[in-house]
Amino acid sequence: MIYERRALQRRLNELRGVIGDILVDGLAQRLNRAGKDRVAAMWETVVLHALSKCGNLANEVELASGRRPDIRLATPDLRITADVTAISDEGLDNDNPYHELGELVGRAKDKMGLPLGGLDLRIRSRHEKTKRGTRTVLLLPPRGKLQSFVHGTVVPQLRKQIEAGEKVLRVEIDDEDIGIDITIDPRKTPYNSYSFAAYDVPKIKDRNPLYNALKAKADQLRGADGITGVIVGDGDCTALSGRSGNWDEVTADQIIDEFFRQYSSVDFVLLLSVRETEQGGLVPIPPVRQNTARMRVREGSSATAQLDTLFRSMMEQLPKPGRSPVNGALRAREDDYDLGHHGGYSMSRSKVRIGLREFTEIMAGLRTLADNGAKNVEAARKLPQRPNNMQGYILRNLMDGRLPSSINVIKTGEDDNDDWVEIQFGEIDPAIAPLR
């Protein structure tokens, strides 16, 4: 997920005294279940916790309509009823399954004994024009027919070229429904590359994931007291990311204004996301990640200034992001835990430092230093292994007759998902070295 589990756990703990055990238990169950709803539960948890620091918060209070919005907040200046939701481009991804096609071609290539990587997949597209705008669709087989397409069309052409002794394999399919160029060049291993048009850039104001999510919440808030709004968390959605700058793109502000025009039951929309800023330099440095918010208030509202003050205070309570929305959404679909400091270490004249989780897994026999922190140890051991410098350093100390003189755990904070173990090596020990 975007935020680290330790940070989420503290917020769950503190919410128990605000909204009660039953509601918090429900959030915890959703956070523990792999899938896209995990991202929605994450945003709901951090928003509820942050707003609980800004006023008197209640959760799922029943309205006269029988609906139970996520937020009822009272401050000296405001009374707010709001819902929290997370949006992604998953529906568009399902309609344009380029990733699944790449995986199927990759597996078929591996079964034919070709080297790892070297796949270049280029996908053509068409632009479907309607009265309301234009949408981009990749020229791919339907998701349900991908496997039969690969095995019945792609694989036979690849086998024929292999039998003919071709060094670089190429498959080109170009008709009204499918437009694919596949190149497999063993000299370019171990990397794969995909190329296709951006199909997830919104171009129609009221037909896109952001508008659909807002529309779904409009009825939930109808008839609610006070200021009403929708807080939208980024679950990997281009409309929120600002990644595109196409001339024919409709912006998030334009989408929200169109929503306000069609629905009067919502007074504000708050968009939450995370921005990454890459740090240049010769030495790789992790990107800087920062929580971001963009608010849109219905024209003529008298509460704009108060809402701005409230949400600025709310943002100060959010955790430090550990991943971008796209990577957080991918990790949310995995059924195990994220790696910690696996593969990371530091060495000095007499000390080494390694992640606590990796250290414990080594002690438990689940991995060795030679695995270099790989998540899938069994798969990594089938590939060529590079030497592990820390293992060599420890071996040299041992051969010199030096044993650890102290082992200390160095704690990190809630915005990290691992601690460190620092091992100090002592003087030469005559128990394992020649007497002097």
Side-chain angles (χ1 to χ4, degrees):
M1 291 175 285
I2 293 173
Y3 302 111
E4 303 295 358
R5 296 173 62 85
R6 290 173 172 174
L8 294 174
Q9 185 62 66
R10 178 172 73 82
R11 284 158 176 80
L12 290 172
N13 294 344
E14 294 182 4
L15 278 172
R16 289 188 180 277
V18 179
I19 62 175
D21 289 341
I22 294 176
L23 293 173
V24 173
D25 287 345
L27 285 172
Q29 289 175 4
R30 293 168 61 197
L31 287 166
N32 285 327
R33 188 167 53 241
K36 68 177 183 178
D37 183 58
R38 180 181 267 179
V39 177
M42 176 206 72
W43 280 116
E44 190 173 337
T45 299
V46 300
V47 168
L48 287 173
H49 176 267
L51 288 176
S52 74
K53 305 297 183 180
C54 302
N56 185 5
L57 175 73
N59 178 233
E60 295 190 2
V61 176
E62 186 173 0
L63 303 177
S65 63
R67 305 285 189 177
R68 294 177 176 271
D70 298 319
I71 296 165
R72 188 184 71 183
L73 183 74
T75 74
D77 300 322
L78 289 169
R79 182 180 177 88
I80 291 176
T81 302
D83 253 331
V84 183
T85 189
I87 62 171
S88 72
D89 293 325
E90 184 178 29
L92 296 172
D93 294 337
N94 288 335
D95 293 338
N96 299 274
Y98 73 92
H99 184 71
E100 289 80 355
L101 175 62
E103 285 192 334
L104 287 169
V105 174
R107 288 180 203 147
K109 178 178 67 67
D110 294 342
K111 288 182 179 179
M112 289 186 284
L114 295 170
L116 179 71
L119 168 65
D120 180 64
L121 175 61
R122 300 180 182 237
I123 305 169
R124 301 184 184 94
S125 60
R126 67 170 175 264
H127 302 291
E128 297 181 348
K129 293 185 178 181
T130 68
K131 293 181 179 179
R132 306 189 66 84
T134 303
R135 71 175 188 138
T136 300
V137 178
L138 301 186
L139 293 175
L140 291 168
R143 177 182 294 272
K145 297 182 178 179
L146 280 177
Q147 188 164 358
S148 60
F149 168 76
V150 170
H151 289 295
T153 303
V154 176
V155 170
Q157 295 189 46
L158 294 177
R159 289 194 185 280
K160 185 177 180 179
Q161 294 176 52
I162 292 172
E163 292 170 359
E166 298 289 341
K167 301 298 183 184
V168 178
L169 311 181
R170 292 184 173 88
V171 175
E172 181 179 350
I173 300 169
D174 187 10
D175 58 36
E176 291 183 1
D177 299 317
I178 302 175
I180 299 171
D181 294 319
I182 299 172
T183 303
I184 299 175
D185 187 347
R187 297 170 299 179
K188 295 184 178 180
T189 57
Y191 304 107
N192 294 326
S193 60
Y194 299 165
S195 176
F196 51 87
Y199 58 81
D200 52 5
V201 175
K203 298 180 180 181
I204 303 176
K205 292 179 183 179
D206 58 356
R207 292 186 184 178
N208 56 76
L210 174 56
Y211 184 90
N212 294 341
L214 296 175
K215 179 181 176 181
K217 292 297 183 182
D219 288 339
Q220 297 259 31
L221 297 168
R222 199 176 304 280
D225 295 334
I227 305 297
T228 58
V230 182
I231 299 176
V232 182
D234 191 350
D236 183 23
C237 181
T238 298
L240 269 64
S241 71
R243 290 194 299 265
S244 176
N246 291 357
W247 66 271
D248 56 347
E249 172 187 4
V250 295
T251 66
D253 287 348
Q254 291 173 314
I255 294 168
I256 295 169
D257 288 345
E258 177 64 18
F259 168 71
F260 282 156
R261 188 184 71 81
Q262 295 195 36
Y263 294 89
S264 61
S265 58
V266 177
D267 299 309
F268 73 86
V269 174
L270 181 69
L271 305 180
L272 301 178
S273 189
V274 171
R275 294 288 183 269
E276 281 192 343
T277 303
E278 296 294 336
Q279 302 185 75
L282 297 177
V283 178
I285 302 175
V288 175
R289 301 183 184 94
Q290 185 176 12
N291 294 310
T292 64
R294 187 159 77 253
M295 183 177 69
R296 197 77 173 171
V297 182
R298 180 179 296 278
E299 187 175 354
S301 173
S302 61
T304 301
Q306 294 95 323
L307 287 169
D308 182 72
T309 300
L310 170 66
F311 292 129
R312 286 183 185 275
S313 298
M314 185 198 81
M315 293 299 292
E316 294 176 359
Q317 300 294 330
L318 294 186
K320 179 181 176 182
R323 274 159 292 281
S324 66
V326 58
N327 287 327
L330 288 172
R331 299 290 82 76
R333 289 169 169 78
E334 296 178 354
D335 204 18
D336 56 356
Y337 302 114
D338 292 329
L339 286 176
H341 297 147
H342 291 67
Y345 58 85
S346 62
M347 300 180 294
S348 63
R349 185 171 177 273
S350 60
K351 295 178 183 178
V352 295
R353 183 178 289 192
I354 183 175
L356 177 60
R357 288 170 54 187
E358 184 176 6
F359 176 83
T360 306
E361 289 167 9
I362 290 171
M363 296 290 289
L366 300 179
R367 64 170 67 242
T368 70
L369 282 173
D371 296 320
N372 290 304
K375 187 167 188 176
N376 189 328
V377 172
E378 292 185 6
R381 288 176 180 173
K382 296 177 182 178
L383 300 174
Q385 296 293 310
R386 69 181 190 275
N388 184 281
N389 293 330
M390 190 169 76
Q391 184 176 9
Y393 175 86
I394 295 173
L395 179 59
R396 287 194 299 274
N397 273 276
L398 181 63
M399 299 303 293
D400 288 343
R402 301 180 189 276
L403 294 171
S405 59
S406 65
I407 301 178
N408 297 313
V409 174
I410 300 173
K411 302 295 289 184
T412 60
E414 68 170 24
D415 294 321
D416 204 334
N417 65 353
D418 201 354
D419 299 316
W420 295 98
V421 173
E422 189 171 80
I423 303 172
Q424 171 81 51
F425 286 91
E427 299 298 325
I428 294 175
D429 189 335
I432 60 168
L435 297 172
R436 293 172 289 169

